[in-house]
Amino acid sequence: MRPPWVITSNRVFREHYQELQRGDLILTRISLKYGEEWLLFDLAERGVEAYPSLLSQWLSRSKAFQVAVLGTFMPPGTLLIRDRHDLIRALNYFGHLGVGEVVTKRDRANCGLGIHLWQSVEDVFNHAGNPPLEYPFVLQPRFRDVRDIRVVILGDYIEAYERKNPFNFRNNIFFGGGSRSYALSEAELDFCRKVMVRGKFPYAHLDLIYTEKGGPFLSEINLRGGLKGAQITQEEYERKVAALTESFLREWLDKHPGAQKL
């Protein structure tokens, strides 16, 4: 039986994908084409380990998957819409709640580019499944007076800042929003930690929101995200991620003597 492998690049991963087995470690974020997420499931079933975890990598790629796995942390009324049957049920659900305006989030769009405001779920129903709104997507009520907080957690490094755009309901800084430093409370940090544990995130960018329904709620989570508005520089960020990765590898190698780097 061969010693465990440590896969350190996507090139090597692709070359040895079929040979990977229980006890091997993928020490890189796996670069996948659209629709290749099933590879992550196959690796998990074979007992292959990864850093960051396979679950966190999959969650980072899909807002829809985040709702399925982390929906209990999200604002009330946040729904995963997979097809017209889900949307019909959402029509009844939001109608019962008396919700008018709603927001949709495209599954794989970032930087606020996939967020749309609709006057009603009926408007969504009339467009869904046809360009420009394809399944799956996230549907939730349009909240007002939203506070939007970006949290960056890299091991012991924790930074939070609030984002606001007075001219647009999208608070993304790339499209006109501003930011200011935010003092994260112990309760908010504990909330972030619980989300990260559930999604097996070793480090993360989390977007928290407060709405008229309370909070904090999870809006989105990712392994990587924009740093515009953050105090940490891109270079510092990369060094901290590398240090976390190296620390994980040292501990892993202690448990797997004789492992071979590829």
Side-chain angles (χ1 to χ4, degrees):
M1 185 175 181
R2 66 167 175 79
W5 285 346
V6 179
I7 305 299
T8 57
S9 72
N10 274 279
R11 178 186 61 80
V12 175
F13 166 72
R14 292 290 179 173
E15 289 177 356
H16 295 282
Y17 170 75
Q18 294 294 349
E19 303 166 72
L20 294 174
Q21 61 187 33
R22 183 173 300 276
D24 291 337
L25 172 67
I26 302 172
L27 196 68
T28 185
R29 290 188 66 188
I30 302 171
S31 178
L32 299 173
K33 296 179 181 178
Y34 181 84
E36 280 193 315
E37 288 82 4
W38 56 267
L39 292 176
L40 303 178
F41 178 77
D42 177 49
L43 292 167
E45 283 295 296
R46 283 194 267 163
V48 178
E49 298 180 63
Y51 185 90
S53 72
L54 296 171
L55 178 59
S56 68
Q57 293 194 46
W58 198 336
L59 286 166
S60 293
R61 293 176 59 86
S62 172
K63 292 178 175 62
F65 190 33
Q66 289 187 27
V67 175
V69 176
L70 303 172
T72 55
F73 296 98
M74 295 181 175
T78 300
L79 304 177
L80 169 58
I81 306 298
R82 297 159 298 184
D83 53 31
R84 293 177 72 83
H85 296 90
D86 285 345
L87 201 47
I88 285 288
R89 284 188 283 268
L91 273 166
N92 293 330
Y93 174 72
F94 283 113
H96 176 72
L97 295 178
V99 171
E101 292 181 320
V102 294
V103 171
T104 58
K105 297 180 179 180
R106 292 175 184 267
D107 187 35
R108 297 167 185 267
N110 296 311
C111 300
L113 294 174
I115 300 176
H116 300 276
L117 176 63
W118 307 83
Q119 295 303 305
S120 68
V121 182
E122 189 67 38
D123 283 347
V124 178
F125 182 75
N126 291 335
H127 289 83
N130 302 308
L133 190 60
E134 299 176 346
Y135 297 111
F137 58 86
V138 177
L139 177 70
Q140 62 185 191
R142 192 266 177 95
F143 300 109
R144 299 186 182 276
D145 300 321
V146 172
R147 298 189 68 186
D148 185 319
I149 300 156
R150 165 64 59 87
V151 183
V152 180
I153 300 180
L154 303 168
D156 293 334
Y157 182 85
I158 301 167
E159 179 181 354
Y161 50 99
E162 187 170 1
R163 304 180 297 182
K164 185 68 175 178
N165 186 342
F167 309 110
N168 193 315
F169 79 98
R170 301 172 183 84
N171 288 318
N172 193 282
I173 298 175
F174 284 96
F175 295 100
S179 67
R180 63 180 180 182
S181 181
Y182 181 85
L184 203 66
S185 71
E186 287 298 322
E188 289 168 328
L189 179 57
D190 182 63
F191 176 84
C192 292
R193 296 289 192 195
K194 288 178 179 178
V195 173
M196 291 174 66
V197 168
R198 177 64 180 89
K200 296 187 176 181
F201 280 79
Y203 51 87
H205 289 228
L206 302 97
D207 290 341
L208 308 184
I209 61 171
Y210 284 87
T211 75
E212 60 268 29
K213 301 294 184 181
F217 300 114
L218 176 69
S219 177
E220 295 179 21
I221 185 171
N222 209 308
L223 284 165
R224 296 289 178 113
L227 293 176
K228 192 170 184 180
Q231 296 180 21
I232 189 171
T233 66
Q234 188 67 44
E235 292 73 19
E236 291 173 321
Y237 180 91
E238 296 296 341
R239 283 197 296 268
K240 289 185 180 297
V241 170
L244 289 171
T245 303
E246 184 61 30
S247 176
F248 174 88
L249 179 59
R250 284 196 302 269
E251 293 183 11
W252 189 88
L253 289 174
D254 287 342
K255 301 174 185 176
H256 298 81
Q260 178 183 359
K261 277 190 177 184
L262 299 184

